[in-house]
Amino acid sequence: MYSNKFSRLVLGLYGRKRSSVCGAVQSAAGRSGFSWTAVCKQRSLRLQRSSCPEVQHHALSSQISTRSASQTTVDPDEVRRFQSLASKWWDEQGEFAALHAMNDLRVPFIRDNLLNVHRARHPGKPLAGLRILDVGCGGGLLTEPLGRLGANVLGIDPVEDSICTAQLHASYDPDLRDCVSYQACTLEELSAEGEEEQGAGHFDAVVASEVVEHLADLETFAFCCSHVVKPGGSLFITTINKTNLSYALGIVVAEQLLRIVPSGTHDWEKFISPVELERLLESNGFSVQSVQGMLYNPVSGAWSWTNSTAINYALHAVKLRDDPQPDQAEESSPHPEDHTAATHS
């Protein structure tokens, strides 16, 4: 009873705060001239024209093994924390209940944006023929539904017990046997392995859902994502904005009061704003296509799309092609407003 009343109070607080937060964001956007819809396309063309594929390829080849050896995305404290939770991934009413519920948003977000680029080839399996990397897959909560959509999905995670949980759960569904696989490793290890065995650009899409806020080095993360995804391929990220509101609701309320997630799950200092994340991805050869706010209702246990990115948000970026054709890129590049309209339809 207390939880429900407090949850309604929190939602009321969000409702009152959201208008002021949105106003501040819009005001800042107006002063800086920033607009996701207008800027993404312009930046994509500008970056494509200024890129030098041969130089980028040689630099990437020479840096990838050194970077993976000297820098890591893994935070040992985070590994220990998730090690203790490795057996609880598939408890839909437990510590990961919010992640189970998030599939109602993130799975269509990934599917619809990929279908804007790749035409569905198989009825009932719209992602058939696509290869997806799920970074920080945990117990496979997102890996499995993407596999059921027909994609060939590799889930990776540095926590071996989580990978064991994922493999065990997937083994119960024979339909997943040929389309879902798991590997206990880091993104940088897989990236270095790909350089030696498979070559760069092996995946049509990379997914990192509720992951970047747990990483030790976001620069290495972005660098390795750019290495493993194909030119023209997609990167999908869901994470938490770095705002006062995200601290109040994402940590104080969610962890300490309502205990929606275990206490200590998040470190506010690791949160990142959409603008900061876009700059990071842009410097590693990506062009951000869309950013959409997400809101969790602790009363209903459901997620919904929102215009405000003050707390949670989803981002879709595309890796720039090595051989850009500016006129074609302008015509074929997916626009941020396309997905926004789709998600509210």
Side-chain angles (χ1 to χ4, degrees), residues 13-62:
L13 172 65
Y14 176 82
R16 291 194 297 272
K17 291 279 189 180
R18 184 173 61 178
S19 60
S20 61
V21 170
C22 289
V25 171
Q26 291 170 352
S27 176
R31 290 194 298 272
S32 63
F34 179 82
S35 167
W36 287 114
T37 303
V39 172
C40 284
K41 181 169 66 177
Q42 296 175 2
R43 283 183 172 173
S44 176
L45 295 177
R46 173 172 57 80
L47 289 173
Q48 285 176 330
R49 293 189 183 104
S50 64
S51 63
C52 181
E54 292 183 1
V55 172
Q56 290 177 346
H57 174 75
H58 290 304
L60 194 62
S61 298
S62 62

Side-chain angles (χ1 to χ4, degrees), residues 50-124:
S50 64
S51 63
C52 181
E54 292 183 1
V55 172
Q56 290 177 346
H57 174 75
H58 290 304
L60 194 62
S61 298
S62 62
Q63 291 177 26
I64 186 65
S65 59
T66 302
R67 178 180 287 268
S68 62
S70 61
Q71 295 173 279
T72 179
T73 59
V74 174
D75 183 332
D77 291 337
E78 298 281 1
V79 170
R80 284 190 290 270
R81 184 177 298 112
F82 283 99
Q83 183 78 34
S84 66
L85 299 169
S87 64
K88 302 179 180 180
W89 282 104
W90 288 97
D91 180 359
E92 295 186 21
Q93 305 303 318
E95 287 87 342
F96 298 112
L99 288 183
H100 282 272
M102 189 183 285
N103 278 355
D104 291 341
L105 291 192
R106 57 185 180 175
V107 173
F109 180 76
I110 296 168
R111 178 199 64 202
D112 295 347
N113 277 290
L114 286 177
L115 290 179
N116 283 339
V117 180
H118 307 277
R119 182 176 301 174
R121 306 168 188 171
H122 190 287

Side-chain angles (χ1 to χ4, degrees), residues 26 96 172 177 190 201 208 226 234 239 256-257 270 284 292 307 311 318 322 329 339:
Q26 291 170 352
F96 298 112
Y172 297 137
R177 186 174 299 124
L190 183 74
S226 180
S234 291
T239 189
Q256 300 173 12
L257 297 178
K270 289 184 176 181
N284 283 277
Q292 186 70 29
N307 291 328
I311 308 175
V318 170
D322 292 336
H339 173 72

Side-chain angles (χ1 to χ4, degrees), residues 160-274:
E160 284 195 43
D161 285 357
S162 290
I163 291 296
C164 290
T165 297
Q167 291 172 330
L168 178 62
H169 193 271
S171 69
Y172 297 137
D173 187 346
D175 292 338
L176 297 176
R177 186 174 299 124
D178 296 327
C179 58
V180 168
S181 59
Y182 294 100
Q183 186 173 336
C185 68
T186 65
L187 175 60
E188 54 271 24
E189 288 170 346
L190 183 74
S191 183
E193 176 183 301
E195 180 69 22
E196 297 171 2
E197 298 178 5
Q198 303 171 5
H202 190 63
F203 295 94
D204 297 288
V206 173
V207 177
S209 185
E210 305 307 292
V211 168
V212 300
E213 66 270 24
H214 300 289
L215 300 180
D217 186 346
L218 289 184
E219 179 62 43
T220 295
F221 164 78
F223 179 88
C224 292
C225 283
S226 180
H227 181 248
V228 300
V229 73
K230 297 177 181 178
S234 291
L235 172 62
F236 297 96
I237 294 173
T238 69
T239 189
I240 310 176
N241 199 347
K242 192 173 184 178
T243 62
N244 291 335
L245 193 58
S246 70
Y247 179 82
L249 299 185
I251 295 181
V252 176
V253 173
E255 294 186 16
Q256 300 173 12
L257 297 178
L258 298 184
R259 301 189 182 279
I260 297 170
V261 293
S263 179
T265 297
H266 296 113
D267 178 355
W268 187 80
E269 293 298 331
K270 289 184 176 181
F271 293 176
I272 185 170
S273 72

